[in-house]
């Protein structure tokens, strides 16, 4: 019976590791990388508008408007929204961690 405890502990460790990593990514990393993410978001939007950004007189205004809009958006809230929206898929990742942890525990038990 004690050997099966390795499987249970492995599953718990796998699940908790993935759950913590996911929460850190969405709720901790995004707020700390806001400026870097904003620059990437602005560059990503600009890639869809190359013809408009080259237009005389309005190209610079469009670029400044994009930067202004993106700078006003709270990326911390975006992280929370993404976390809530993808909760089902993220749970699958957490459960996959539990499965991998259980398999590691099983292998440890058999050795």
């Amino acid at each position: 019976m004690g050997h099966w405890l390795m499987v249970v502990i492995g599953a718990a460790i796998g699940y908790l590791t993935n759950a913590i990593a996911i929460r850190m990514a969405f709720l901790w990393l995004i707020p700390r990388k806001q400026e870097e993410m904003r620059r990437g978001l602005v560059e990503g939007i600009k890639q869809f508008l190359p013809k408009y950004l080259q237009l005389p007189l309005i190209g610079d205004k469009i670029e400044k408007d994009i930067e202004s809009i993106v700078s006003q958006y709270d990326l911390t809230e975006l992280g929370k929204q993404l976390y809530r929206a993808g909760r089902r898929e993220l749970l699958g990742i957490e459960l996959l961690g539990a499965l991998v942890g259980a398999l590691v525990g099983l292998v440890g038990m058999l050795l």
Side-chain angles (χ1 to χ4, degrees), residues 18 43 93:
N18 281 8
E43 291 305 313
I93 294 170

Side-chain angles (χ1 to χ4, degrees), residues 42-106:
V42 167
E43 291 305 313
I45 293 170
K46 287 168 40 178
Q47 287 180 2
F48 288 101
L49 306 170
K51 287 191 245 178
Y52 299 105
L53 293 173
Q54 295 172 3
L55 292 172
L57 303 175
I58 64 167
D60 288 337
K61 176 159 178 26
I62 292 171
E63 189 168 346
K64 285 184 171 82
D65 287 347
I66 292 169
E67 290 171 0
S68 173
I69 290 167
V70 169
S71 72
Q72 293 174 19
Y73 195 78
D74 181 10
L75 294 181
T76 301
E77 184 58 33
L78 175 63
K80 291 176 185 175
Q81 290 173 2
L82 289 171
Y83 180 77
R84 284 190 297 266
R87 187 66 196 118
R88 175 176 279 160
E89 290 79 5
L90 297 174
L91 178 61
I93 294 170
E94 293 168 356
L95 293 174
L96 183 61
L99 177 63
V100 170
L103 289 174
V104 168
L106 183 62

Side-chain angles (χ1 to χ4, degrees), residues 12-49:
I13 290 171
Y15 175 83
L16 290 173
T17 301
N18 281 8
I20 290 168
I22 288 168
R23 282 167 185 77
M24 284 180 67
F26 283 97
L27 306 177
W28 179 78
L29 184 63
I30 288 175
R32 282 159 182 75
K33 296 287 187 177
Q34 283 196 41
E35 288 308 312
E36 190 176 323
M37 292 178 70
R38 280 193 179 100
R39 285 192 300 273
L41 189 54
V42 167
E43 291 305 313
I45 293 170
K46 287 168 40 178
Q47 287 180 2
F48 288 101
L49 306 170

